Amino acid sequence: QVWQIRLDMHLLNHDGNITDAASIAGIVALCHFRRPDVSVQGEEVTVYSPEERDPVPLSIHHMPICVSFAFFHQGTYLLVDPTEREERVMDGLLVIAMNKHHEICTIQSSGVVMLVQDQILRCSKITAVKVAEITELIQKALENDQKARKEGRKFGFAESIPNQRITAFKMESAAVDTNDVEEQAGEIIAKAEPPADVFANPVLHTPGTAQIGEGIESSWGDLEESEKEDAVEEEGESEAAAFECEKVETEDTTTKRRTKNDEPIVLSDSEEEEVVILEPQELPRKTR
């Protein structure tokens, strides 16, 4: 038999990057959890209560921590730990889960941005640094909690509930100086680079498609080279067929083939030199 453990998470506040916060909360809860101690003698299993024996922790070998990266302007700009507002305008999101031993546990990419190898390697290096910092903070928090419990004090979540630090979404008021806002804005605008060219109208690469802003032209929207050649050949054959029909219609009526019951009339030798008999033939038609 084994222990069955279920981990439920309830969001109290959400200001962005819920994946990283949930991964940290989940791994801390599992490390903080203690199960009842068990002894097995033959086929007899004894589960001890907390009064009989101290509960024991789970066997957690490493802590996988998630680090999220937000990409803007088609991957040109990279941001770690995006807020809720930044998530609304980002082009794509990359989540990397790693432990302190630099072992990647999972990678998840979402959004409309396409990442190259150098970008992913850069994010993995940043993740290794962030995971080491977060893992150290988790271990310190667990040690402080254990120390506070031995002394009979409250720590962590139990300490935060009476002070409304977690259950209430509020911040202390802070004074903001707005006297020189216009001067600072003018300096920022003067140092900023000029804006990029703005496309007033969509770029029509081929009928039926459109593109606004930067991007790569779709090769499938236009005809392929082989299809273009086939179209030119088909157009040339159509012109040749039209020319042959016009030539047949303008021939002198005396030179046309005169038949009775589909039998040609026998002409003299002198007439055969001047008369050209056109046999009906079927023009080739190219099928696609």
Side-chain angles (χ1 to χ4, degrees):
Q1 295 182 351
V2 297
W3 289 102
Q4 182 181 2
I5 301 174
R6 188 183 70 181
L7 178 63
D8 297 330
M9 296 188 184
H10 300 276
L11 274 65
L12 302 179
N13 293 323
H14 176 33
D15 192 31
N17 197 10
I18 191 61
T19 303
D20 295 9
S23 69
I24 295 174
I27 194 65
V28 171
L30 293 175
C31 293
H32 186 268
F33 175 74
R34 298 292 187 273
R35 66 169 178 81
D37 195 6
V38 179
S39 64
V40 180
Q41 295 180 357
E43 296 182 355
E44 182 180 357
V45 179
T46 304
V47 179
Y48 298 96
S49 62
E51 291 76 13
E52 296 174 344
R53 287 189 182 181
D54 293 336
V56 296
L58 301 178
S59 299
I60 298 178
H61 302 287
H62 61 88
M63 301 180 184
I65 305 298
C66 293
V67 180
S68 297
F69 301 88
F71 294 91
F72 303 87
H73 202 271
Q74 298 297 323
T76 305
Y77 301 102
L78 171 65
L79 183 65
V80 184
D81 190 10
T83 62
E84 192 266 341
R85 289 186 177 183
E86 293 165 345
E87 289 180 347
R88 292 183 180 182
V89 297
M90 66 182 181
D91 295 334
L93 182 69
L94 178 66
V95 180
I96 301 178
M98 183 184 297
N99 57 21
K100 66 178 182 180
H101 305 294
H102 298 181
E103 296 175 348
I104 296 178
C105 304
T106 181
I107 295 179
Q108 180 183 6
S109 177
S110 60
V112 296
V113 64
M114 299 296 293
L115 301 178
V116 297
Q117 181 179 359
D118 295 339
Q119 291 174 316
I120 298 177
L121 291 176
R122 179 187 177 190
C123 293
S124 63
K125 293 179 181 179
I126 298 175
T127 303
V129 177
K130 300 296 293 183
V131 166
E133 297 175 356
I134 296 173
T135 302
E136 185 177 357
L137 291 175
I138 292 175
Q139 292 176 348
K140 287 183 178 180
L142 294 173
E143 292 175 0
N144 293 335
D145 176 79
Q146 186 176 6
K147 181 179 179 181
R149 287 176 180 273
K150 289 182 179 180
E151 297 176 357
R153 297 185 291 107
K154 293 183 179 180
F155 183 79
F157 187 77
E159 180 189 13
S160 301
I161 290 179
N163 300 329
Q164 294 186 349
R165 292 171 51 187
I166 297 179
T167 56
F169 186 62
K170 62 181 182 180
M171 298 177 61
E172 298 180 359
S173 59
V176 179
D177 186 8
T178 59
N179 295 327
D180 56 347
V181 173
E182 295 183 359
E183 297 179 0
Q184 294 179 1
E187 294 177 358
I188 294 174
I189 295 175
K191 296 179 181 179
E193 298 180 357
D197 296 336
V198 179
F199 295 86
N201 298 321
V203 180
L204 302 177
H205 296 291
T206 186
T209 63
Q211 176 180 314
I212 301 176
E214 297 180 358
I216 303 176
E217 180 180 356
S218 299
S219 59
W220 51 265
D222 199 358
L223 292 176
E224 299 292 342
E225 295 295 333
S226 60
E227 295 182 355
K228 291 181 179 180
E229 295 177 358
D230 295 342
V232 172
E233 293 179 1
E234 186 175 356
E235 184 179 358
E237 293 175 357
S238 300
E239 294 179 356
F243 177 75
E244 291 292 340
C245 293
E246 184 179 357
K247 180 179 178 181
V248 172
E249 293 176 356
T250 55
E251 285 289 343
D252 188 37
T253 55
T254 58
T255 63
K256 289 183 179 179
R257 179 179 168 193
R258 303 171 185 176
T259 62
K260 183 179 181 181
N261 298 330
D262 295 337
E263 293 182 2
I265 299 175
V266 180
L267 302 177
S268 60
D269 296 339
S270 59
E271 291 176 342
E272 289 180 359
E273 296 177 357
E274 298 176 359
V275 176
V276 177
I277 299 176
L278 297 177
E279 293 291 341
Q281 58 182 356
E282 192 178 292
L283 295 176
R285 171 177 284 178
K286 189 173 185 61
T287 59
R288 295 180 62 187

